Amino acid sequence: MSTAQQFKDLGNQAFKENKFEEAAKFYSQAIELNPNDHILYSNRSGAYASLSKYEDALTDAEKCISLNPNFAKGYQRKGLALHYLGDFEKAIDAYQQGLAKDPTNALLQDGLKAAQTELQGTKNNPFASALKNPNIIKLLGILQKDPRTSAFASDPTFMQLIGLMIAQPQMASQFMQTDPRIQAALSVIMENPEAQQIFFSEFAGKVKKPDGEKKDHPQQHSQKMEEEHTHAQHEQEHQQHQHTHSEQSSQKQHHQPPPKQQPQLEEWEIQKNLGNDEYKNKNFEKALQYYDAALQLNKDEALLYNNKAAVFIEQKKYDEALEAIEEGLKVLEVHSSFQKKAKLLARKAKVYSLQNKFNEAIQFYEKSLVEDHVQSVKDELRKLQKLQKDLEAQNYINPELGEEANTKGGEAFKSGKFPEAIQFYNDAIKRNPKEPKYYCNRATAYMKLMEFPNAVSDLEKCLSLDPKYVKAYVKKANCHFVMKEFHKAKTVYENGLELDPNNVEMQQGLEKVRFSILQGSGSEEEQQQRAKRAMQDPEIQQILREPEVINLLNDMKEHPQDGLKAIKQNPSLAAKIEKLIEAGVLKTG
């Protein structure tokens, strides 16, 4: 079985186990060995799609199709990636092309139907069409830049509300009263002339009036919208103008509607606000008393239970917090609100995280995000997932089992099963990540598979753990030599010989490198490729950027003897020129 096939099989197994990052890596290794296998690109596209890397999935799908235009699954991969990128029309086209190759393919049929449904839903969705408006996109960009709204301006639910307000302006007042994000957004809009112009130009003239009532002038309508958002300020201004400009006010009365009165809070809201004040002052028992009083007046407000849970969390009464949250969720079974449910579920996740029940916490953070996409919840979920991953890695450490895995890796290596050996060495490293020989052993297996960059990476890790690991110097220098990075190989051999001056293998390797540098090893094309790779080396790039090197190279073109004299007089400059020659960037003779 070929090496590429082995990596493909490992990728397929990882994919079945939902280890998509690992699967993509194996498919990439297989592609390096067999870049013309269309199935490998199809498989990696599937792995990328499972990781939500849809741009990468699309690139691989298109590569798959270019290699084999008759492979129907390639079109299914392309359609899926385009679907999740939101380009439903192109997704439909991809699925239809695939069905032309395989008319009975169920995956293509299902994908086509789903994309058509999404496209039709977009066309029938008033706020979706509004959000395609360049003016609205520009407005959202302003909100995303302002620190008061940047935290939620990219949230899909918020964007939908903005779109819906543009499509159905009569609902604006309701949104302002129920969603504080809309209130914050309108504050930003009213203070930004460009945003205000866009908002009112899209909004004006769209509100339907009752029969017999005249339409508002656009200017008058703009004043109404601003009035709803800042009615308290306008009331004060109106009172001041009554004393000083009563005549002007009466003349312009038809342009300025009367200010609305401040809405009166209900008694339960007053109790809730008192509880919030006590909570902020860390008077938790008093806060609970006020929240309970509010619940006596309004037992259907689910967020009051959420507030109680917050108090219990501060008191480290986690069981009581969970009970309060469950009561709130029961209320929402009757009085449904996805935003309130999301808050309660996020609070429940917080409790579980404080109890170190990370699986449960992650589960409820994910459930909360299903109800409402809130950035702070996403951030908490990511932190918790990283913490859990780190803890799992820490708990997995077991040096004894690591040595067992290393032994198995050695047995697989001796049998020529190098990918299998790498898997055992991977496990050994996870079991004991501070053991340098495991990295060296894995590097040796990578070298057998011609994976020299991976081998070099492992050997560098080995030497960072044990700078006196002589065998790692030998292997690392060999890797650089095979990759025709002679300047690096020479440096590694020299460093290794400082530790072990009598090491015959390194002595012979150093001589071989020096000979290759002098002879310009390889054909003209190979030498050009070596120089090209060397130019990507940060060390070589830094040397070529130094003024003294630039000046010398320019002088050498017209006055070679003067250049040679400068090199002899400047040991530091001479070392840099020697490095460029070793790398193949400069040629002698």
Side-chain angles (χ1 to χ4, degrees):
M1 183 165 53
S2 68
T3 302
Q5 183 64 41
Q6 288 178 323
F7 279 123
K8 177 185 174 184
D9 291 341
L10 289 170
N12 291 344
Q13 184 60 38
F15 193 96
K16 290 177 183 176
E17 296 172 0
N18 294 328
K19 299 176 181 177
F20 303 118
E21 286 279 7
E22 195 173 313
K25 181 179 178 181
F26 282 128
Y27 293 139
S28 297
Q29 290 173 317
I31 287 170
E32 287 180 13
L33 297 171
N34 188 3
N36 295 319
D37 187 340
H38 64 281
I39 293 177
L40 294 175
Y41 290 98
S42 172
N43 290 2
R44 190 170 67 176
S45 176
Y48 283 144
S50 299
L51 293 166
S52 299
K53 297 180 179 180
Y54 301 117
E55 292 285 359
D56 292 332
L58 178 59
T59 300
D60 272 359
E62 290 175 336
K63 179 65 175 178
C64 169
I65 293 169
S66 71
L67 291 171
N68 187 348
N70 294 318
F71 186 61
K73 195 166 188 177
Y75 297 95
Q76 185 266 328
R77 298 290 196 201
K78 182 178 180 180
L80 182 70
L82 288 166
H83 185 124
Y84 281 103
L85 288 170
D87 198 337
F88 304 122
E89 291 181 352
K90 288 186 179 179
I92 289 169
D93 184 56
Y95 286 130
Q96 289 174 339
Q97 289 181 48
L99 286 168
K101 308 293 182 183
D102 184 2
T104 61
N105 189 300
L107 288 175
L108 288 166
Q109 292 171 347
D110 291 344
L112 176 61
K113 184 177 179 181
Q116 289 172 333
T117 301
E118 290 284 0
L119 179 62
Q120 188 60 40
T122 301
K123 290 179 178 178
N124 293 336
N125 189 335
F127 52 75
S129 59
L131 290 174
K132 291 183 179 180
N133 185 326
N135 280 342
I136 305 308
I137 294 172
K138 191 172 183 179
L139 178 63
L140 289 169
I142 293 171
L143 295 176
Q144 289 164 4
K145 291 178 182 178
D146 193 286
R148 291 170 291 177
T149 51
S150 60
F152 55 78
S154 298
D155 190 313
T157 59
F158 173 77
M159 295 171 69
Q160 289 176 354
L161 282 178
I162 292 293
L164 191 55
M165 285 179 63
I166 299 300
Q168 301 182 26
Q170 63 271 22
M171 299 182 68
S173 177
Q174 176 184 344
F175 290 146
M176 285 188 290
Q177 294 174 12
T178 59
D179 195 321
R181 297 177 301 176
I182 298 298
Q183 298 172 10
L186 287 173
S187 294
V188 174
I189 291 170
M190 295 306 166
E191 294 172 12
N192 186 307
E194 182 182 14
Q196 190 175 139
Q197 182 180 3
I198 293 171
F199 185 77
F200 289 132
S201 68
E202 293 296 330
F203 198 97
K206 293 185 179 179
V207 180
K208 292 184 179 181
K209 295 290 183 179
D211 293 340
E213 187 176 347
K214 295 181 180 180
K215 272 193 173 182
D216 287 335
H217 188 278
Q219 179 184 354
Q220 181 181 356
H221 186 74
S222 299
Q223 291 166 345
K224 281 188 177 181
M225 283 302 304
E226 190 169 359
E227 186 76 35
E228 289 184 4
H229 181 62
T230 56
H231 52 80
Q233 179 182 348
H234 278 243
E235 184 173 358
Q236 182 179 358
E237 291 174 356
H238 180 70
Q239 291 171 351
Q240 291 172 352
H241 282 288
Q242 279 184 326
H243 292 292
T244 59
H245 303 285
S246 58
E247 184 177 350
Q248 294 179 10
S249 296
S250 65
Q251 291 174 351
K252 298 181 180 180
Q253 188 172 4
H254 66 285
H255 286 297
Q256 286 191 350
K260 295 183 179 180
Q261 294 183 353
Q262 182 75 22
Q264 295 294 319
L265 293 178
E266 295 185 32
E267 181 60 30
W268 72 269
E269 292 178 295
I270 295 172
Q271 296 295 321
K272 180 198 72 173
N273 291 341
L274 291 170
N276 292 345
D277 292 339
E278 297 296 345
Y279 176 85
K280 292 174 185 176
N281 294 326
K282 299 188 181 300
N283 298 323
F284 299 126
E285 289 299 331
K286 286 186 177 180
L288 283 174
Q289 292 174 7
Y290 283 120
Y291 291 144
D292 284 334
L295 281 168
Q296 289 292 325
L297 297 167
N298 184 4
K299 63 181 180 180
D300 295 331
E301 179 47 67
L303 290 185
L304 290 172
Y305 296 98
N306 198 43
N307 291 4
K308 287 186 65 175
V311 174
F312 288 132
I313 289 173
E314 292 291 338
Q315 295 177 321
K316 302 188 186 308
K317 298 179 180 179
Y318 301 130
D319 290 338
E320 286 91 334
L322 290 173
E323 289 176 6
I325 291 167
E326 288 302 322
E327 288 295 320
L329 291 172
K330 287 179 182 177
V331 169
L332 292 177
E333 291 177 2
V334 179
H335 306 279
S336 180
S337 167
F338 67 90
Q339 289 178 327
K340 293 179 180 181
K341 188 175 182 180
K343 290 180 180 180
L344 284 161
L345 292 171
R347 185 82 73 190
K348 191 171 185 178
K350 179 69 173 178
V351 175
Y352 281 130
S353 69
L354 292 170
Q355 292 178 317
N356 295 326
K357 297 178 180 179
F358 299 126
N359 287 331
E360 292 89 340
I362 288 172
Q363 177 187 353
F364 280 99
Y365 274 134
E366 289 174 341
K367 287 184 176 181
S368 174
L369 288 170
V370 169
E371 299 295 329
D372 191 13
H373 286 273
V374 178
Q375 187 59 47
S376 60
V377 176
K378 292 180 185 177
D379 294 340
E380 288 298 321
L381 176 60
R382 289 194 195 100
K383 289 178 186 176
L384 195 58
Q385 287 172 331
K386 184 180 183 302
L387 176 61
Q388 186 186 44
K389 185 177 180 180
D390 292 343
L391 288 173
E392 287 175 351
Q394 188 66 33
N395 293 334
Y396 196 73
I397 291 176
N398 186 320
E400 185 177 341
L401 293 178
E403 191 58 34
E404 288 182 13
N406 181 61
T407 301
K408 292 178 180 178
E411 293 170 356
F413 183 91
K414 291 176 183 176
S415 301
K417 301 176 181 178
F418 305 122
E420 187 177 333
I422 288 172
Q423 292 304 301
F424 283 121
Y425 292 139
N426 287 345
D427 192 54
I429 289 169
K430 290 178 183 178
R431 292 291 187 183
N432 188 0
K434 295 184 179 181
E435 176 50 61
K437 71 178 181 181
Y438 297 161
Y439 295 95
C440 187
N441 291 348
R442 187 169 68 176
T444 307
Y446 277 130
M447 290 170 70
K448 289 292 185 180
L449 294 170
M450 310 294 284
E451 290 285 331
F452 297 110
N454 288 337
V456 168
S457 178
D458 270 356
L459 292 165
E460 288 174 347
K461 180 64 177 179
C462 171
L463 290 171
S464 72
L465 293 170
D466 183 1
K468 295 182 179 181
Y469 203 107
V470 174
K471 191 181 292 186
Y473 286 99
V474 176
K475 294 181 183 296
K476 187 171 186 288
N478 287 341
C479 287
H480 289 307
F481 183 84
V482 172
M483 291 189 290
K484 299 189 182 301
E485 297 173 343
F486 299 139
H487 61 298
K488 292 184 178 181
K490 180 174 177 287
T491 300
V492 175
Y493 278 134
E494 289 172 344
N495 292 340
L497 285 168
E498 289 180 6
L499 293 172
D500 186 3
N502 299 318
N503 188 294
V504 176
E505 188 175 359
M506 282 196 287
Q507 290 174 346
Q508 294 175 346
L510 182 57
E511 289 301 317
K512 186 168 64 172
V513 169
R514 286 172 174 165
F515 179 79
S516 297
I517 292 171
L518 290 172
Q519 294 297 315
S521 180
S523 66
E524 183 67 24
E525 183 179 354
E526 288 176 333
Q527 291 182 46
Q528 290 177 358
Q529 289 296 323
R530 180 163 72 92
K532 186 177 180 181
R533 286 195 299 270
M535 293 288 284
Q536 298 173 357
D537 184 343
E539 182 184 8
I540 299 300
Q541 291 175 354
Q542 179 59 38
I543 292 173
L544 290 171
R545 282 196 295 263
E546 295 186 13
E548 62 176 355
V549 174
I550 295 172
N551 292 333
L552 175 67
L553 295 178
N554 289 331
D555 291 342
M556 290 285 285
K557 294 177 182 178
E558 298 180 2
H559 308 289
Q561 294 302 322
D562 292 344
L564 292 173
K565 184 178 179 181
I567 291 173
K568 290 178 181 179
Q569 293 175 349
N570 188 336
S572 173
L573 181 59
K576 293 171 184 175
I577 296 301
E578 183 181 1
K579 180 70 72 174
L580 294 178
I581 294 171
E582 292 168 357
V585 175
L586 293 182
K587 292 184 180 181
T588 58

